[in-house]
């Protein structure tokens, strides 16, 4: 069975894990409703790209 020759340093371990992070959602201002919404998502009032898509 393979065994590592040396202990992995803290720096190498942290460098390996730098890509494992949670990104915050992009929030855009919707001018048609005047509210904030997530990019490429329907607003809470049912608008998408200035058109009413959900009643």
């Amino acid at each position: 069975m393979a065994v590592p020759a040396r202990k992995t340093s803290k720096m190498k371990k942290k460098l390996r894990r730098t890509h494992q992070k949670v990104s915050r959602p992009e929030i855009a201002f919707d001018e048609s409703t005047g509210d904030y919404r997530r990019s490429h998502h329907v607003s809470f009032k049912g608008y998408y790209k200035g058109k009413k898509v959900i009643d």
Side-chain angles (χ1 to χ4, degrees), residues 4-52:
R6 288 176 187 81
K7 178 182 176 180
T8 306
S9 68
K10 295 174 189 174
M11 189 66 186
K12 287 289 184 183
K13 185 166 46 175
K14 288 178 183 179
L15 282 173
R16 188 174 64 241
R17 293 177 180 171
T18 57
H19 304 290
Q20 300 174 357
K21 58 186 175 183
V22 177
S23 61
R24 64 180 129 132
E26 294 294 328
I27 297 176
F29 183 73
D30 191 5
E31 296 176 1
S32 61
T33 61
D35 292 335
Y36 289 96
R37 62 171 179 80
R38 290 180 62 192
S39 297
H40 306 284
H41 284 73
V42 178
S43 67
F44 289 117
K45 295 181 181 178
Y47 285 90
Y48 185 73
K49 292 187 178 180
K51 297 177 183 176
K52 185 81 168 176

